[in-house]
Amino acid sequence: MQMPKPSEADKDHFRTVMPSDPEVVIKPMFGNLGAFVNGNMFAGLFGSTIGVKLGDADREELEGTERTVPFGPAERPMGGYTGLPEVWNAEGDGDDARAKAWVAKAYSYVAGLPPKEPKASTPRPTKK
């Protein structure tokens, strides 16, 4: 499976459409980026595609009114995430507002979910 690498411009664009909230944590994921709140990912970057996790009604609205794309590898798109339309990247500044609005909806939805519990560390076996 080929992992697309985002350009620095893609990464900058991703950061500019994220909410300016101290609870938002952006971190690298497999050469791309993910945006998290309470340990749960609400948006991700896969190549140049921004994917968002939305509630059912919002996801149906977005997918029913825009030219969305699958988010993640073509062979195995990430369930529960919708890729924002690629044409928004090509159209430029006017579509940042639309991207920001959908990212904000994803943030609000995921912020309302229970916080992700940190994984318990398993003790490593001691060498004898």
Side-chain angles (χ1 to χ4, degrees):
M1 172 173 22
Q2 184 72 18
M3 283 292 221
K5 301 293 182 204
S7 68
E8 287 304 314
D10 294 331
K11 291 177 184 179
D12 290 343
H13 178 248
F14 179 78
R15 289 182 183 100
T16 63
V17 299
M18 292 302 117
S20 59
D21 185 307
E23 297 293 315
V24 174
V25 176
I26 298 173
K27 56 187 175 181
M29 289 186 56
F30 310 108
N32 290 280
L33 295 174
F36 297 79
V37 60
N38 299 326
N40 295 305
M41 189 168 93
F42 68 90
L45 183 64
F46 188 76
S48 62
T49 303
I50 296 172
V52 292
K53 184 177 182 88
L54 298 165
D56 292 337
D58 284 334
R59 187 178 64 252
E60 288 172 13
E61 179 185 346
L62 177 61
E63 291 176 354
T65 60
E66 299 288 349
R67 293 179 283 174
T68 59
V69 296
F71 181 67
E75 312 83 48
R76 276 179 70 179
M78 288 182 66
Y81 289 82
T82 300
L84 298 180
E86 295 289 332
V87 68
W88 289 2
N89 292 339
E91 290 175 354
D93 295 337
D95 290 306
D96 273 355
R98 289 198 293 184
K100 285 180 180 183
W102 286 106
V103 168
K105 286 183 182 197
Y107 172 77
S108 293
Y109 170 69
V110 174
L113 298 176
K116 189 167 190 166
E117 295 296 323
K119 292 183 180 180
S121 61
T122 54
R124 294 184 181 197
T126 58
K127 294 182 182 181
K128 295 182 180 186

